[in-house]
Amino acid sequence: MLPGAGCPVAGGSGAIPALNPGQTVRDARGEAIGRVQSVRRNAAGRVESVTMAVGRRMVTIPADNFSVQGDVLVSAMGEGQVKRAAKDQAQ
């Protein structure tokens, strides 16, 4: 779970390196699968979704798909799943 997405370690703003635009998103195996483009937060400041670039497409994934390991943002979805979601959202 992402800090700022209901996780008690969120602290003040929930701003951690892994939520900065340009940060690499990795899959569970540690492979780079995309880059953070933006983070959507609700009025309370909780992270709702992360928009990331994967290849030439953009995809918005719900926050509960991600976890943070150290300063690395990890997606529960693999690269193929993320690319399919990006393709589906583009249609």
Side-chain angles (χ1 to χ4, degrees):
M1 180 178 291
L2 289 175
C7 181
V9 298
S13 68
I16 58 170
L19 292 180
N20 289 332
Q23 176 69 32
T24 300
V25 178
R26 299 193 178 274
D27 65 14
R29 296 178 306 176
E31 299 292 323
I33 61 171
R35 292 200 175 273
V36 173
Q37 296 300 304
S38 64
V39 178
R40 182 177 177 180
R41 296 176 185 270
N42 64 19
R46 294 186 188 274
V47 176
E48 292 185 337
S49 62
V50 174
T51 298
M52 57 186 274
V54 56
R56 294 183 173 188
R57 295 202 167 129
M58 302 290 261
V59 62
T60 300
I61 308 285
D64 61 359
N65 172 73
F66 298 95
S67 63
V68 176
Q69 296 175 5
D71 65 350
V72 177
L73 184 60
V74 178
S75 170
M77 296 168 66
E79 183 176 18
Q81 293 170 304
V82 171
K83 284 183 175 180
R84 280 191 296 279
K87 184 177 178 181
D88 290 346
Q89 288 180 18
Q91 295 178 2

